[in-house]
Amino acid sequence: MKILIKQVLLQDKIVDILIKDNLISEISTTINDSEAEVFDARDLAVIPPFYNMHTHSSMTLLRGYCEDKPLFEWLNNIWKKEAELSSQDIYNGTRLAILEMIKSGTVFFADMYWHHQSIIKACQEMGIRANIGICFMNNLGKETIKENFDFAKQFSKTNNDLVNISIAPHAIYTCDAQLYKECYEFAKENNLYFHTHLSETQKEVEDSIKQYGMPPVEYLNSIGVLDNKTILAHCVHLTEKEAEIISQNKSIIAHNPCSNMKLASGVFDSRQAMKHNCIITLGTDGNSSNNSLSMIEEMKFASLLAKVHYQDSEAGNSDEVFKWATINGAKAMGINAGEICEGKEADLLFIKLNDEKMQPNYNTISNIIYSSDTKCIDSVMCNGKFLMKHGYVEGEEEIIEIAKTYK
Ligand SMILES: [Zn+2]
């Protein structure tokens, strides 16, 4: 299978790009290949798509439910509502989330939720890359915890190309040390990522100090569950020592600025994390605390939040924030993509240069972050296949019709 992309703007040059199977095989001024399917990309720019490093996809069904509450009050309400959702609901919600993600240029998401089999099914059907966190909390009970481990064991043995799983203890206020250690050891044995919420609110930090005598990152480090396959969602309230611990362990920070602002959790100190050479990636969190899965929006908020926080217009630099949303996430997840070069997997995002929000085009990346929105996206390719072509995602009408039945 070959696709020849003709006359696309890549950085500041018009080029042709040949995709062979799932790889970018050649990038050159002119390529001719009579066997390839041609994609006319005149008036389009190509950039790497987005890697959403922390979300709860099917919370899309709770978009707009229980608004304007602080995290713990919000969580208590959400948990009650979530208990009513069936695995079919989760499947429907995940498909709606994936549609929203594809339409906004995302080709990968790291998830954490219940009814993981429904989430996996939706991802596999829609062709998106995903890492599905199998969620653990003490109050699930021993039987469900065992079932989750059994499922993870079985699934990790299957040959999975685009959809993988991680072990995801929810947070330090819902999982005790024993469960964290059990989860971590299991993840290690089965070569899986480990995904948890950490240091999201000041209250979590205060409770951690009261209960364990140390803040959350120090605590997880003390029980030995941090390494380079650990995704730490939020990291809003870190000490210098904790930023250093994350850096030494090469753990992955998933920064979720919109959710942190909406739940009034605080501001992630990106300069502190950068000073310690931490790996910073970007996530949207769930649609119930954002309420959007658009990484374009997330980049803009990440940048503007940093500028306001530091009272410095050079903070939240657009090139840096773009890396958080693209190559940093891909690299952290071991995906050979996130940049457009020969030999990389063909994850591509095509932007309409004819859109009024993209002109004049002094700087494509800053136009995308500060000016564009999802309507500027023309097409999305994941691993050599179009997930969206000229604005259309297969089956989108049905997904929307089903979503309308929820309220
Ligand atoms: Zn979350």
Side-chain angles (χ1 to χ4, degrees):
M1 174 72 182
K2 286 196 269 189
I3 300 173
L4 179 56
I5 296 154
K6 292 294 284 180
Q7 300 288 288
V8 71
L9 180 70
L10 173 61
Q11 288 154 1
D12 52 357
K13 266 194 203 152
I14 301 287
V15 296
D16 291 353
I17 301 177
L18 183 65
I19 311 296
K20 244 190 214 173
D21 298 321
N22 68 326
L23 296 177
I24 299 172
S25 134
E26 190 183 347
I27 302 175
S28 177
T29 322
T30 312
I31 303 173
N32 291 305
D33 189 322
S34 57
E35 290 167 11
E37 175 194 321
V38 173
F39 180 76
D40 183 354
R42 275 171 297 179
D43 296 321
L44 299 178
V46 66
I47 59 166
F50 308 119
Y51 300 79
N52 183 346
M53 289 293 288
H54 178 72
T55 188
H56 311 279
S57 53
S58 40
M59 283 185 106
T60 303
L61 292 182
L62 305 176
R63 186 183 349 241
Y65 176 79
C66 188
E67 295 290 62
D68 306 323
K69 297 278 186 285
L71 184 113
F72 287 97
E73 191 182 338
W74 169 81
L75 257 184
N76 282 327
N77 278 289
I78 291 292
W79 280 340
K80 277 184 211 148
K81 187 79 179 162
E82 281 176 338
E84 297 166 12
L85 298 175
S86 68
S87 57
Q88 181 65 40
D89 295 328
I90 300 298
Y91 171 76
N92 295 340
T94 307
R95 295 211 329 141
L96 181 64
I98 295 173
L99 176 62
E100 186 184 348
M101 285 192 262
I102 294 172
K103 290 243 171 183
S104 52
T106 293
V107 295
F108 167 87
F109 66 103
D111 204 69
M112 184 198 292
Y113 213 57
W114 326 115
H115 298 291
H116 36 263
Q117 302 196 47
S118 302
I119 305 173
I120 290 168
K121 183 169 174 254
C123 295
Q124 287 172 333
E125 285 173 4
M126 293 184 75
I128 196 165
R129 297 179 189 270
N131 181 285
I132 308 304
I134 311 295
C135 195
F136 289 86
M137 303 197 313
N138 285 97
N139 71 4
L140 291 179
K142 285 203 166 120
E143 205 171 306
T144 307
I145 289 174
K146 186 181 176 305
E147 275 168 23
N148 284 356
F149 278 130
D150 288 346
F151 173 81
K153 183 107 196 157
Q154 200 189 354
F155 190 85
S156 60
K157 278 189 205 150
T158 56
N159 192 13
N160 307 302
D161 191 11
L162 300 185
V163 182
N164 288 294
I165 54 167
S166 61
I167 299 301
H170 172 261
I172 62 168
Y173 49 89
T174 47
C175 302
D176 62 18
Q178 195 192 333
L179 183 56
Y180 260 105
K181 283 188 209 164
E182 208 180 330
C183 284
Y184 181 77
E185 278 158 24
F186 183 91
K188 281 291 96 188
E189 269 168 33
N190 294 281
N191 197 26
L192 298 172
Y193 279 79
F194 184 80
H195 186 173
T196 193
H197 293 98
L198 200 65
S199 285
E200 184 172 358
T201 61
Q202 195 61 48
K203 181 180 183 324
E204 181 188 331
V205 174
E206 284 162 12
D207 289 349
S208 174
I209 291 169
K210 252 188 242 160
Q211 194 172 351
Y212 307 113
M214 58 190 107
V217 177
E218 278 192 53
Y219 163 60
L220 285 195
N221 192 43
S222 77
I223 60 170
V225 301
L226 300 180
D227 68 22
N228 65 347
K229 283 191 139 186
T230 304
I231 304 166
L232 301 173
H234 301 296
C235 296
V236 170
H237 302 279
L238 301 182
T239 61
E240 288 290 337
K241 187 176 170 189
E242 287 183 300
E244 187 53 33
I245 289 171
I246 291 173
S247 171
Q248 279 170 359
N249 285 292
K250 298 188 172 54
S251 299
I252 305 148
I253 295 174
H255 171 33
N256 302 264
C258 290
S259 174
N260 297 153
M261 282 190 275
K262 185 158 184 265
L263 295 171
S265 301
V267 182
F268 164 64
D269 190 345
S270 52
R271 281 198 163 159
Q272 179 193 57
M274 285 161 76
K275 187 176 89 186
H276 289 277
N277 291 316
C278 293
I279 299 160
I280 305 173
T281 67
L282 210 57
T284 58
D285 213 348
N287 244 332
S288 177
S289 63
N290 185 315
N291 302 359
S292 158
L293 300 176
S294 166
M295 291 285 281
I296 293 179
E297 270 184 34
E298 207 66 36
M299 287 191 294
K300 182 167 181 173
F301 279 112
S303 172
L304 299 186
L305 176 63
K307 291 178 197 306
V308 168
H309 181 61
Y310 300 110
Q311 297 279 293
D312 181 352
S313 58
E314 290 183 14
N317 172 292
S318 54
D319 288 333
E320 189 62 37
V321 169
F322 188 70
K323 282 187 204 158
W324 298 351
T326 57
I327 191 165
N328 285 14
K331 247 192 197 170
M333 297 310 294
I335 300 167
N336 180 29
E339 56 187 335
I340 300 172
C341 311
E342 290 174 4
K344 293 279 170 186
E345 290 175 13
D347 285 2
L348 305 172
L349 175 52
F350 296 91
I351 302 283
K352 294 175 194 169
L353 292 170
N354 280 342
D355 192 284
E356 66 279 3
K357 282 178 169 277
M358 288 301 298
Q359 293 300 333
N361 191 16
Y362 292 113
N363 182 328
T364 306
I365 298 304
S366 85
N367 269 359
I368 287 164
I369 295 177
Y370 298 125
S371 166
S372 83
D373 52 34
T374 56
K375 80 178 176 65
C376 302
I377 296 177
D378 180 85
S379 298
V380 180
M381 180 181 275
C382 173
N383 202 39
K385 290 198 178 102
F386 281 107
L387 298 183
M388 176 167 90
K389 207 169 184 183
H390 303 315
Y392 183 73
V393 178
E394 220 182 295
E396 60 175 73
E397 302 89 344
E398 190 201 359
I399 293 171
I400 301 288
E401 282 311 310
I402 291 171
K404 283 182 190 170
T405 65
Y406 289 88
K407 208 180 95 174

